[in-house]
Amino acid sequence: MRKKSADKIRFTGMFLFILYLVVLVYFLFFAEAYGRTLGGRVYRYNLEPLKEIKRFWIYREELGLLSVLTNLVGNVVAFIPFGAILPVIKKGMRRWYIIILLSFEFSFIVETIQLISKVGSFDVDDLILNTLGGTIGYLIFYFCNKLRRKLYG
């Protein structure tokens, strides 16, 4: 009976992960509210670590709270499900360093596609924030899994 329960959890995790990826792709590549329009596309990139994070913090009053939260907190929050759901789907992904590496790698792929397609920009700060989000997601999984084992064996 336990295997059936684990299979249901993995199936649900896989469904949620696919749904998460669809929503993420929409926001990263198609959401007009985030400047994902066809007109005026140019190559934009930032290769200097912490440059944009500092800029958003220094000019937070001029940019507005929503803009700062969308950029800084949004990049972290967007990758929390990545780090939280992957270990549920596959037991081989229950090591912290694997999730950190995969979060970075997935973020790098997204940023590269944004650069090549001229949708958004390639920003090394996004790599940092997305990887942090994946790490936080993994920590949520880790502590929830530890609590589950303590309560249910």
Side-chain angles (χ1 to χ4, degrees):
M1 191 64 161
R2 241 181 128 145
K3 181 168 176 14
K4 230 177 195 182
S5 178
D7 288 344
K8 282 182 184 179
I9 290 169
R10 281 194 189 91
F11 177 79
T12 302
M14 183 64 81
F15 174 78
L16 290 173
F17 192 70
I18 290 169
L19 181 63
Y20 158 73
L21 289 176
V22 168
V23 171
L24 188 67
V25 165
Y26 170 75
F27 280 107
L28 292 174
F29 298 104
F30 302 106
E32 289 181 19
Y34 294 100
R36 314 299 190 225
T37 59
L38 294 175
R41 289 185 174 183
V42 295
Y43 291 112
R44 294 182 303 169
Y45 57 89
N46 166 40
L47 302 176
E48 184 181 325
L50 306 177
K51 177 182 178 182
E52 287 297 304
I53 293 172
K54 285 180 202 171
R55 185 177 71 83
F56 269 89
W57 185 253
I58 291 168
Y59 297 105
R60 65 188 177 276
E61 291 179 15
E62 291 88 346
L63 293 169
L65 182 63
L66 182 61
S67 181
V68 173
L69 288 177
T70 300
N71 189 290
L72 300 181
V73 177
N75 275 301
V76 174
V77 170
F79 270 67
I80 288 175
F82 188 88
I85 299 173
L86 272 180
V88 172
I89 296 172
K90 186 143 175 72
K91 282 187 177 182
M93 297 191 186
R94 293 191 176 172
R95 302 268 190 243
W96 62 268
Y97 55 88
I98 291 175
I99 294 300
I100 290 173
L101 181 63
L102 288 174
S103 296
F104 179 82
E105 183 177 37
F106 183 62
S107 179
F108 185 79
I109 290 168
V110 165
E111 294 296 316
T112 302
I113 292 170
Q114 285 183 332
L115 177 67
I116 291 169
S117 65
K118 300 179 187 176
V119 174
S121 64
F122 184 98
D123 189 347
V124 71
D125 291 350
D126 288 352
L127 291 173
I128 294 167
L129 295 169
N130 295 159
T131 304
L132 176 62
T135 304
I136 291 169
Y138 174 78
L139 290 172
I140 290 169
F141 161 78
Y142 177 82
F143 288 114
C144 287
N145 193 42
K146 198 171 184 111
L147 180 64
R148 180 190 60 86
R149 287 176 180 262
K150 188 175 184 176
L151 293 175
Y152 302 110

